[in-house]
Amino acid sequence: MAASPSLIDTPRQSWHARVCEKGLRTTEMSERSWWFIRTRWNATALCFLGALWAMLPPVRDPPLFMVDYRFFLIVGGLLAASNHLYTRMARNLTADPHAKTRLCRFLSLQVLTDYANLSLLTYGLGGIETPILILFLPHIILLTLFFSRAYSFIMTWVGILFASLPILLEYLGILPVVSIFDATRKMIDVTSSLVITSSYVLGIIAAFLICWYLVGGITAILLLRERQLELALQQLQRLDREKSQITLRATHELKAPFAAIKSYVYTLRDGYCGPLPDKARQVVDRIGERCDLLMEKISDIIHLSNLRTATPANTALSETDLLPILAKEIDDARLIGEPRGVRILASLDMAPCLIQASKEHLSTMFSNLLRNAISYSHLEGAVEVTLERRDRQVAIQIRDHGIGIPTEHLEKIFEEHFRSNNAVRFNPNSSGMGLALVREIVRLHGGQIRVKSELGAGSRFIVTLPA
Ligand code: ADP
């Protein structure tokens, strides 16, 4: 798989990027920062809900505990404001494919903002009195996903500092003590005890470092496996391309001598070498038919190989009205369907339907789908063609009421040479290449193909193309 520009790592990186980055690609970092922002909106909503909850009148009188709703409101407000700013920043960064350094800084900034907000919430909820500190742990996990081992270690220590800050400042008397419990019920003023304060801080250090160590190890292994899989996939794709090229070359080499054989057979059959006895003529006719089939297969193989190596970038797509192309293929298909009494019902609104496409490819695609629908229809059957214009999309549906496709074969029918058993009985001479060609053409046009089918009742192929 060729690396797209956005996947290429920037050659020149600042010390910050070198120290903090985990070997992620710019796109991966950008996805993570968007995910982080989306998650923060949920946290913001929870804070506002928390404020509402804290405003409710207490259930018991006197209340067991009292939470100051203003802390929730302030933290929710800060989160909303910072997230609004981050959304705008993320848009700019996503547009820049080489923003790795900036993305590293951006993610660090987001983590620091969350630390500060959590620290404030911890203070407002009485520090040691509630388990709110647990909320720091997801950030430690995220650090190991975002950053290098060394950088996530440093940021874990920053987290420890923020988590311990409220109780330390309370202990040092810099901040007034906030408690959610009624002062008279408080068994012990924890913030004035050095032993409790220091064991509490040591507990935080231990919990955060254990979390960093365990999750960091796991994410490093996962990232390594992901990279190994990517490499293996690239190798497989390269081998597949090489295999296709060899097939293409071999098939090309077969084509010329085969065309010569075919023309000799036709020369014999058409009597240019003198009249043939009846028996010999029958044999030559059969050879002629087989030659036609083989030539068709050779052309399909070459066509498919060419399509496989093509990309949307190196394919000449131009603004094309697909309606005349579809209408012409329908006319041709009517002629093919006539001998078997298969009718084609199409009600098309003929207003231009412009898409970026290759006329030749579109013809091949419609022709294959229509021929299949006719081939696998019962005698005197009907094939319906509809075209639906959607917002920025056009959907073409070709529906028949024929033999249908077994459910277990629905995934496989787009593979080259695959033919389901019921189809082989119905149409013994086909090659099993048509849908493989269709799939490649749809891919080249940035579209999608879906199939719905019921065995014995018919099939529906729906192609959607960007308009
Ligand atoms: P073929 O030349 O064999 O039709 P395709 O690649 O076009 O090759 O189709 C692959 C297989 O998909 C067919 O052999 C058949 O089993 C199934 N198939 C495709 N279109 C239809 C259809 N309209 N109805 C039933 N089966 C179909």
Side-chain angles (χ1 to χ4, degrees), residues 21 34-35 41 56 100 116 118 170 180 183 226 309 318 363 373 376 407 413 441:
E21 71 122 324
W34 275 112
W35 176 85
W41 283 124
L56 292 176
K100 200 164 193 171
L118 271 176
E170 281 180 341
I180 61 169
E226 197 184 316
T309 45
S318 57
S363 296
Y376 300 116
T407 317
I413 55 171
I441 292 173

Side-chain angles (χ1 to χ4, degrees), residues 146-406:
F146 293 161
F147 303 121
S148 69
R149 201 111 170 97
Y151 192 75
S152 61
F153 183 67
I154 298 170
M155 290 294 277
T156 302
W157 274 101
V158 179
I160 290 170
L161 181 72
F162 272 97
S164 319
L165 209 55
I167 191 161
L168 284 176
L169 294 181
E170 281 180 341
Y171 173 74
L172 296 172
I174 299 173
L175 282 180
V177 176
V178 173
S179 171
I180 61 169
F181 297 113
D182 183 342
T184 55
R185 283 169 186 261
K186 223 170 167 192
M187 304 292 288
I188 180 170
D189 190 3
V190 290
T191 43
S192 62
S193 159
L194 177 63
V195 177
I196 293 181
T197 305
S198 52
S199 3
Y200 176 73
V201 172
L202 283 176
I204 294 177
I205 295 176
F208 281 30
L209 288 183
I210 289 172
C211 181
W212 166 82
Y213 178 75
L214 291 180
V215 185
I218 294 168
T219 53
I221 294 171
L222 285 180
L223 194 72
L224 185 70
R225 292 276 178 279
E226 197 184 316
R227 293 289 177 262
Q228 284 171 341
L229 278 176
E230 251 173 47
L231 273 179
L233 180 70
Q234 279 172 11
Q235 249 173 339
L236 279 178
Q237 282 168 332
R238 188 175 48 78
L239 286 175
D240 191 46
R241 272 200 305 276
E242 278 172 14
K243 193 192 88 188
S244 301
Q245 274 161 4
I246 293 169
T247 317
L248 187 63
R249 236 176 285 138
T251 320
H252 257 301
E253 278 166 21
L254 274 181
K255 199 176 175 182
F258 208 79
I261 294 173
K262 190 176 152 180
S263 73
Y264 290 137
V265 171
Y266 279 14
T267 313
L268 271 179
R269 187 191 69 183
D270 297 342
Y272 291 109
C273 304
L276 291 175
D278 275 355
K279 268 241 153 105
R281 211 193 130 73
Q282 277 172 13
V283 173
V284 170
D285 276 350
R286 279 213 198 133
I287 298 175
E289 280 164 21
R290 293 286 154 93
C291 277
D292 286 345
L293 277 177
L294 266 172
M295 273 309 270
E296 220 174 273
K297 281 190 186 175
I298 288 176
S299 304
D300 278 349
I301 293 174
I302 293 174
H303 196 167
L304 184 64
S305 301
N306 284 334
L307 280 172
R308 288 232 165 108
T309 45
T311 60
N314 67 19
T315 309
L317 302 182
S318 57
E319 196 169 71
T320 307
D321 184 0
L322 74 70
L323 269 164
I325 301 170
L326 180 58
K328 179 178 175 301
E329 290 308 326
I330 290 175
D331 286 344
D332 291 353
R334 282 198 170 113
L335 296 177
I336 299 170
E338 231 167 55
R340 300 185 56 233
V342 179
R343 286 161 302 134
I344 301 197
L345 312 172
S347 51
L348 303 174
D349 159 14
M350 288 308 281
C353 184
L354 298 175
I355 62 167
Q356 286 296 319
S358 141
K359 282 185 188 160
E360 189 200 328
H361 288 340
L362 284 187
S363 296
T364 310
M365 180 176 79
F366 293 139
S367 149
N368 274 300
L369 291 173
L370 286 163
R371 275 165 195 255
N372 277 349
I374 292 169
S375 302
Y376 300 116
S377 279
H378 299 293
L379 292 180
E380 309 294 326
V383 171
E384 290 133 35
V385 183
T386 52
L387 183 143
E388 196 187 319
R389 296 156 205 261
R390 300 178 187 158
D391 184 29
R392 294 174 170 271
Q393 262 190 350
V394 52
I396 305 106
Q397 177 176 277
I398 296 174
R399 179 181 193 172
D400 65 65
H401 304 273
I403 60 171
I405 304 165

Side-chain angles (χ1 to χ4, degrees), residues 372 376 400 404-405 413 418-420 423 430-432 434-435 459 461:
N372 277 349
Y376 300 116
D400 65 65
I405 304 165
I413 55 171
F418 179 82
R419 314 203 53 217
S420 60
S430 66
S431 63
L435 287 182
S459 312
F461 284 83

